[in-house]
């Protein structure tokens, strides 16, 4: 070897494992982020997730966790690489090599690593996302909406992350070359990163901060909106989650240094000391793993919670079939429905039919004021006609529900759900009811709320009051509601599907609208500004909605948001997975990505611990340490890397998710309890998978340590 580059090439071949580890970590991080971005920004997904909706916010929140996790993981891998490379750098400097020579050689190495790993990760991310998505379509669920298309602009985020990886490698490489103390450079590989000064109260304080951060971060946005009348920017609300992050760090520090069980100070002193002297990197990795596990469970809980809650809701309906129409529509009447039922061999056992009316109701409206970067504020203004709602007479209510309600004149009852947990969906108490055709108004007082989930959000008036206030209403302001049961609901799917298609086929363009479409608000907005937002296709598209389309009657948007969507128990139950396919598969995909990152980070960290401590274990072996002692020591370190983040991440997300369910409506409904039970089953299954990975990692570590 006559050239300096030839010497460096020989050393690279000797230490190719170090280069492979750095390239592999960089490749894997870019691969996961690219796959996530391709799915997150795919038109298939964006068309299903409403702009500004909770589902899209959840996807973005977990994406931020994944980016932070992969960024920290890649930075850690780079730091490990440069620490291991520091010895040869110091020796070259001691032998007279110039920093320029070293910088040039390192630039070549890092350029090759960055180009190959980042380019390969970015190039294979989309095929990986597409392949996993197709497997989901084959083995889980498929529908018309599941056809996946990618947006080329999504690669901007992927390239930004790849650029971060490349810049980070060059910055850290340049810093390692610029160091002046040769002895420090030579010995850096052997320098430990011990944790000092971890008090016994760190554990309790960490738990308290996690609780404060989780509760505060979740409740503060509601406090801003309800009390301060301020829609705070996301960055402001994120600040209140920071105590939870600090609490998790303190919790992990306490676990690594002190543990939770009182033990003899000399028991497992070697294994505990090795963990403490590498504590900083260990805790950083544990924190990343904890965040990723929490994010993975947050995504993984979506499908079982939604499925179990929906199944419970379908089974709990008091009637098998419900549909209602506006009286200017030519929908199937009783004789036509019975004829269709006879055609499909279905027996109708009960039929209840009653009229209703759309009336104006008083209330408060929010008037927003844009404050730029500070978010939007709003003021509340009372209006005698604020919005519209469906009103029943007490006789119509009794006919449909089988109840025996008798309201006094001048009373108006608000309808809540059967569990009493969804009052926020209703319009609240009404004190003034208005006929939008004649302009006549009726002053009412709130009565004791009624409960009937299938009529949630409607109102009930005294018979005489209803007759007086609805006089003069045209057919476009009146509705007919139908409830009926069948003899064998499980065998009625073909009939239900045929009736649903018949209803859609006979619906006019005037009711081809979202459930947020309100004829009263439409009248008010047209009178005020000459147009109604929900009549505008441009407004819908600007807010991430494609609009209701009868030709897309099997889409999730149509089934979930059509104003006159029927409630057929067997149809909703059987088509639930197909209808919600995009949502379910999306969150399963996100959970899979996060868990894959956890597995790789945990395995890499454990392998690093084994390689770093290999000499210590060799010395212990020569000093006569038995195999069982060495195995117990290695097992303790590996189990701590896996067990602590798994327990903390799982517990934090389980409590946080339960808190979300509770604060949604102030109680845990029967459906939510069933969903939480399904989530517990998911935790058990994924914990078993993580345990298998732990066993595989432990076996690999023991092989490295020759135990």
């Amino acid at each position: 070897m006559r050239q300096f580059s030839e010497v460096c090439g020989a050393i690279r071949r000797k230490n190719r494992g170090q280069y492979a580890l750095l390239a592999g970590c960089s490749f894997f991080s870019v691969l996961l982020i690219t796959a996530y971005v391709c799915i997150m920004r795919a038109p298939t997904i964006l068309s299903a997730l409403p702009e500004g909706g909770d589902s899209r916010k959840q996807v973005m929140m977990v994406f931020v966790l994944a980016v932070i996790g992969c960024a920290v993981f890649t930075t850690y891998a780079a730091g490990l690489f440069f620490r291991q490379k520091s010895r040869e750098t110091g020796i070259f400097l001691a032998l007279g090599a110039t920093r320029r020579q070293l910088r040039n050689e390192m630039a070549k190495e890092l350029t090759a690593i960055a180009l190959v790993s980042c380019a390969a990760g970015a190039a294979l991310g989309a095929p990986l996302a597409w392949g996993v998505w197709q497997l989901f379509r084959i083995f889980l669920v498929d529908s018309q909406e599941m056809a996946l298309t990618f947006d080329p602009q999504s690669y901007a985020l992927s390239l930004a992350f790849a650029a971060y990886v490349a810049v980070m490698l060059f910055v850290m490489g340049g810093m390692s070359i610029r160091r002046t103390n040769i002895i420090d450079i030579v010995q850096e590989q052997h320098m430990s990163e011990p944790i000092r000064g971890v008090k016994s109260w760190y554990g309790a304080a960490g738990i308290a901060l996690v609780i404060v951060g989780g509760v505060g971060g979740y409740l503060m946005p509601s406090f801003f909106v309800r009390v301060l009348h301020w829609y705070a920017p996301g960055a402001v609300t994120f600040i209140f989650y920071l105590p939870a992050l600090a609490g998790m760090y303190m919790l992990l520090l306490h676990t690594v240094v002190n543990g939770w069980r009182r033990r003899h100070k000399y028991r497992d002193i070697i294994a505990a000391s090795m963990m403490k002297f590498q504590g900083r990197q260990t805790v950083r990795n544990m924190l990343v793993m904890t965040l990723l596990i929490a994010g993975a469970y947050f995504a993984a809980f979506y499908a079982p919670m939604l499925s179990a809650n929906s199944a419970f809701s379908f089974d709990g309906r008091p009637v098998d079939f419900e549909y209602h129409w506006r009286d200017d529509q030519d929908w199937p009447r009783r004789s036509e429905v019975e004829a269709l039922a006879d055609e499909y061999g279905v027996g109708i056992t009960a039929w209840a039919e009653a009229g209703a009316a759309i009336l104006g109701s008083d209330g408060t409206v929010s008037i927003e004021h844009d404050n730029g970067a500070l978010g939007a504020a709003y003021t509340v203004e009372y209006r005698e006609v604020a919005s519209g709602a469906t009103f029943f007479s007490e006789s119509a209510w009794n006919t449909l529900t089988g109840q025996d309600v008798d309201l006094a004149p001048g009373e108006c009852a608000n309808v809540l759900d059967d569990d009493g947990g969804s009052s926020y969906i209703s319009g609240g108490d009404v004190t003034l009811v208005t006929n939008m055709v004649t302009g006549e108004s009726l002053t009412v007082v709130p009565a004791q709320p009624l409960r009937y989930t299938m009529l949630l959000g409607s109102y009930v008036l005294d018979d005489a009051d209803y007759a007086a206030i609805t006089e003069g209403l045209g057919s476009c302001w009146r509705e007919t509601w139908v409830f009926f049961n069948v003899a064998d609901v499980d065998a009625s799917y073909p009939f239900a599907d045929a009736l649903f298609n018949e209803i859609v086929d006979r619906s006019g363009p005037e009711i081809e609208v979202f459930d947020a479409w309100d004829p009263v608000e439409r009248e008010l907005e047209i009178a005020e500004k000459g147009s109604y937002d929900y009549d505008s296709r441009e407004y819908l598209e600007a807010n991430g909605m494609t609009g209701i389309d009868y030709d897309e009657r099997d889409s999730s948007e149509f089934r979930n948001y059509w104003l006159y969507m029927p409630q057929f128990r067997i149809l909703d139950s059987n088509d639930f997975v197909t209808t919600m396919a995009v949502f379910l598969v999306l969150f399963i995909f996100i959970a899979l990505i996060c868990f894959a990152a956890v597995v790789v980070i945990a395995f890499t960290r454990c392998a690093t611990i084994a390689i770093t401590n290999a000499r210590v274990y060799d010395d212990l072996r020569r000093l006569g340490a038995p195999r069982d002692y060495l195995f117990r020591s290695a097992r303790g370190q590996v189990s701590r890397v896996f067990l602590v983040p798994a327990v903390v991440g799982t517990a934090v997300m389980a409590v946080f998710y339960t808190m979300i369910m509770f604060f949604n409506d102030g109680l845990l409904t029967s459906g939510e309890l069933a969903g939480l039970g399904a989530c517990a089953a998911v935790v058990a299954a994924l914990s078993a998978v993580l345990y298998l990975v732990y066993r595989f990692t432990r076996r690999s570590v023991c092989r490295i340590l020759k135990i």
Side-chain angles (χ1 to χ4, degrees), residues 213 216-221 223-225 228 230-243 372-376:
Y218 181 76
L219 294 182
M220 286 309 294
F223 173 80
F224 290 147
V225 173
L228 302 182
W230 176 39
Y231 296 105
V236 174
T237 58
F238 176 75
I239 293 175
F240 293 93
Y241 282 108
L242 293 181
L374 296 178

Side-chain angles (χ1 to χ4, degrees), residues 584-595:
L584 299 176
V585 173
L586 169 64
F587 283 95
I588 293 173
F589 179 88
I590 292 172
L592 180 64
I593 292 293
C594 290
F595 267 111

Side-chain angles (χ1 to χ4, degrees), residues 592-630:
L592 180 64
I593 292 293
C594 290
F595 267 111
V598 168
V599 168
V600 172
I601 293 173
F603 180 85
T604 304
R605 180 58 188 165
C606 291
T608 302
I609 291 176
I611 294 172
T612 304
N613 297 323
R615 292 183 180 179
V616 177
Y617 279 92
D618 286 339
D619 292 341
L620 290 173
R621 190 181 293 108
R622 293 188 182 97
L623 290 172
R627 178 188 176 279
D628 289 344
Y629 177 84
L630 297 177

Side-chain angles (χ1 to χ4, degrees), residues 83-212:
R83 286 191 65 188
Q84 293 174 333
K85 193 176 176 60
S86 63
R87 183 175 178 81
E88 68 182 62
T89 301
I91 292 174
F92 277 135
L93 289 174
L95 292 176
T98 65
R99 296 185 188 276
R100 183 175 182 179
Q101 286 178 301
L102 294 173
R103 189 179 298 110
N104 291 338
E105 288 299 321
M106 184 172 287
K108 295 177 184 178
E109 297 172 354
L110 296 181
T111 299
I113 292 174
L115 286 178
V116 173
S117 61
C118 295
L124 296 178
L128 172 65
W130 187 88
V132 173
W133 191 267
Q134 299 310 311
L135 291 176
F136 285 153
R137 295 185 67 181
I138 294 172
F139 294 106
L140 290 181
V141 59
D142 194 9
S143 69
Q144 180 181 354
E145 293 181 286
M146 289 282 288
L148 187 64
T149 57
F150 291 136
D151 181 5
Q153 295 182 359
S154 63
Y155 262 94
L157 292 174
S158 173
L159 294 177
F161 184 81
Y164 158 78
V165 173
V167 171
M168 178 268 300
L169 289 177
F170 279 96
V171 169
M172 295 184 68
M175 292 173 61
S176 68
I177 295 294
R178 285 194 297 270
R179 299 187 62 177
T180 57
N181 192 322
I182 296 177
I183 300 300
D184 286 345
I185 295 175
V186 172
Q187 296 299 324
E188 183 180 5
Q189 183 179 356
H190 303 290
M191 293 174 63
S192 62
E193 294 184 315
I195 302 175
R196 299 183 178 90
V198 178
K199 306 297 182 181
S200 58
W201 51 263
Y202 266 45
I207 294 175
L209 284 175
V210 169
I211 295 174
V212 170

Side-chain angles (χ1 to χ4, degrees), residues 289 293 297 595 598-599 602-603 606 631 635 638-647 650 682-700:
M289 289 175 60
I293 288 174
Y297 275 125
F595 267 111
V598 168
V599 168
F603 180 85
C606 291
F631 173 75
R635 181 185 62 189
V638 175
S639 63
R640 191 169 296 186
V641 171
F642 274 87
L643 182 62
V644 175
V647 171
T650 304
V682 170
V683 169
L686 292 178
S687 297
V689 173
L690 202 59
Y691 176 74
L692 294 177
V693 175
Y694 154 73
R695 292 292 299 268
F696 173 79
T697 304
R698 190 181 70 186
R699 191 179 300 113
S700 300

Side-chain angles (χ1 to χ4, degrees), residues 160-452:
F161 184 81
Y164 158 78
V165 173
V167 171
M168 178 268 300
L169 289 177
F170 279 96
V171 169
M172 295 184 68
M175 292 173 61
S176 68
I177 295 294
R178 285 194 297 270
R179 299 187 62 177
T180 57
N181 192 322
I182 296 177
I183 300 300
D184 286 345
I185 295 175
V186 172
Q187 296 299 324
E188 183 180 5
Q189 183 179 356
H190 303 290
M191 293 174 63
S192 62
E193 294 184 315
I195 302 175
R196 299 183 178 90
V198 178
K199 306 297 182 181
S200 58
W201 51 263
Y202 266 45
I207 294 175
L209 284 175
V210 169
I211 295 174
V212 170
V215 175
Y218 181 76
L219 294 182
M220 286 309 294
S222 299
F223 173 80
F224 290 147
V225 173
R226 296 177 181 177
V227 178
L228 302 182
H229 294 177
W230 176 39
Y231 296 105
V236 174
T237 58
F238 176 75
I239 293 175
F240 293 93
Y241 282 108
L242 293 181
L245 190 63
M248 281 191 284
Y249 187 73
M250 294 177 65
L251 192 60
L252 295 173
L253 278 177
H254 176 76
T255 303
V256 169
V257 177
N258 300 327
W260 292 92
R261 292 182 300 175
R262 185 180 297 275
R263 61 189 179 191
H264 194 278
K265 62 181 180 179
Y266 296 124
R267 177 176 174 81
D268 296 328
I269 186 173
I270 295 178
S273 297
M274 284 190 290
M275 181 65 72
K276 290 180 182 179
F277 278 100
Q278 298 160 4
R280 293 182 187 174
Q281 288 289 6
T282 301
V283 171
R284 290 170 192 165
N285 279 264
M286 284 182 172
L287 183 60
V288 171
M289 289 175 60
T290 301
L291 292 174
L292 287 174
I293 288 174
Y297 275 125
F298 189 80
F301 287 168
Y302 183 88
M305 176 59 72
L306 182 62
S307 301
N309 205 359
S310 298
F312 195 92
S313 174
F314 299 150
D315 293 339
R317 289 179 183 174
V319 294
D320 299 330
F321 289 77
E322 177 277 323
Y323 71 101
H324 62 284
W325 66 85
R326 211 167 74 176
D327 284 358
D328 61 347
Q329 301 297 305
D330 181 26
W331 276 28
R333 289 352 188 225
R334 180 172 184 173
S335 59
E336 297 173 276
V337 174
E338 290 175 340
L340 187 64
D342 291 338
E343 181 181 340
Y344 284 92
V346 174
I348 296 178
T349 59
W351 183 282
E353 181 176 326
I358 305 298
L359 300 171
S361 58
D362 66 334
T364 58
V365 296
S366 301
I367 303 174
E368 292 190 13
H369 309 281
D370 189 7
N371 293 329
L374 296 178
Y378 72 93
T379 55
V380 176
E381 180 180 304
Y382 171 82
R383 291 182 180 177
E384 293 184 346
V385 181
S387 61
T390 301
F391 286 78
F392 293 93
S393 68
E394 58 190 6
S395 298
W397 173 267
N398 294 336
T399 298
L400 291 174
T401 65
Q403 299 177 8
D404 187 16
V405 173
D406 185 13
L407 298 177
E411 287 188 334
C412 178
N414 184 16
V415 180
L416 309 180
D417 73 349
D418 295 327
D419 288 319
S422 296
S423 58
Y424 69 95
I425 297 178
S426 75
D429 292 330
V430 171
T431 60
L432 187 67
V433 182
T434 302
N435 183 314
M436 298 302 294
V437 175
T438 64
E440 294 292 326
S441 297
L442 173 68
T443 301
V444 294
V445 295
Q448 181 69 26
L450 301 174
R451 303 198 181 279
Y452 204 84

Side-chain angles (χ1 to χ4, degrees), residues 424-693:
Y424 69 95
I425 297 178
S426 75
D429 292 330
V430 171
T431 60
L432 187 67
V433 182
T434 302
N435 183 314
M436 298 302 294
V437 175
T438 64
E440 294 292 326
S441 297
L442 173 68
T443 301
V444 294
V445 295
Q448 181 69 26
L450 301 174
R451 303 198 181 279
Y452 204 84
T453 302
M454 297 185 73
L455 298 176
L456 176 65
S458 60
Y459 295 88
V460 180
L461 295 171
D462 172 72
D463 282 347
D465 289 340
Y466 179 86
I469 195 62
T470 58
E471 185 176 356
L473 283 179
S475 58
C476 63
W477 295 95
R478 294 183 181 271
E479 295 180 341
T480 300
W481 288 68
V482 169
F483 288 177
F484 68 92
N485 293 325
V486 296
D488 186 1
V489 66
D490 293 333
S492 64
Y493 179 81
F495 161 70
D497 187 58
L499 180 57
F500 166 70
N501 284 295
E502 181 73 13
I503 287 172
V504 177
D505 289 340
R506 293 168 61 169
S507 297
E510 57 274 7
I511 62 169
E512 197 173 9
V513 292
F514 275 99
D515 55 1
W517 190 90
D518 186 330
V520 174
E521 291 183 358
R522 182 175 184 272
E523 293 282 325
L524 297 175
E525 287 196 19
I526 290 177
E528 181 180 345
K529 61 181 184 180
S531 64
Y532 181 49
D533 289 337
Y534 281 98
D535 286 341
S536 168
R537 178 71 64 173
E538 292 76 15
Y539 173 83
L540 296 176
E541 292 177 351
N543 287 273
M545 297 178 286
T546 58
I548 297 299
D549 187 346
Y550 293 147
D551 294 333
E552 301 292 335
R553 64 189 65 182
D554 293 326
S555 67
S556 60
E557 190 162 33
F558 188 91
R559 296 287 184 100
N560 290 326
Y561 301 116
W562 185 35
L563 179 59
Y564 287 91
M565 182 66 198
Q567 298 183 73
F568 296 167
R569 189 201 309 275
I570 188 65
L571 186 72
D572 295 341
S573 178
N574 286 16
D575 291 353
F576 169 77
V577 174
T578 303
T579 300
M580 304 300 295
V582 173
F583 295 90
L584 299 176
V585 173
L586 169 64
F587 283 95
I588 293 173
F589 179 88
I590 292 172
L592 180 64
I593 292 293
C594 290
F595 267 111
V598 168
V599 168
V600 172
I601 293 173
F603 180 85
T604 304
R605 180 58 188 165
C606 291
T608 302
I609 291 176
I611 294 172
T612 304
N613 297 323
R615 292 183 180 179
V616 177
Y617 279 92
D618 286 339
D619 292 341
L620 290 173
R621 190 181 293 108
R622 293 188 182 97
L623 290 172
R627 178 188 176 279
D628 289 344
Y629 177 84
L630 297 177
F631 173 75
R632 189 170 66 249
S633 173
R635 181 185 62 189
Q637 296 188 69
V638 175
S639 63
R640 191 169 296 186
V641 171
F642 274 87
L643 182 62
V644 175
V647 171
V648 175
T650 304
V652 166
M653 187 47 59
V655 173
F656 184 71
Y657 211 81
T658 304
M659 182 189 70
I660 291 176
M661 295 298 106
F662 178 79
F663 282 118
N664 271 343
D665 40 37
L667 77 165
L668 294 175
T669 65
S670 302
E672 289 170 343
L673 290 174
L676 291 175
C679 292
V682 170
V683 169
L686 292 178
S687 297
V689 173
L690 202 59
Y691 176 74
L692 294 177
V693 175

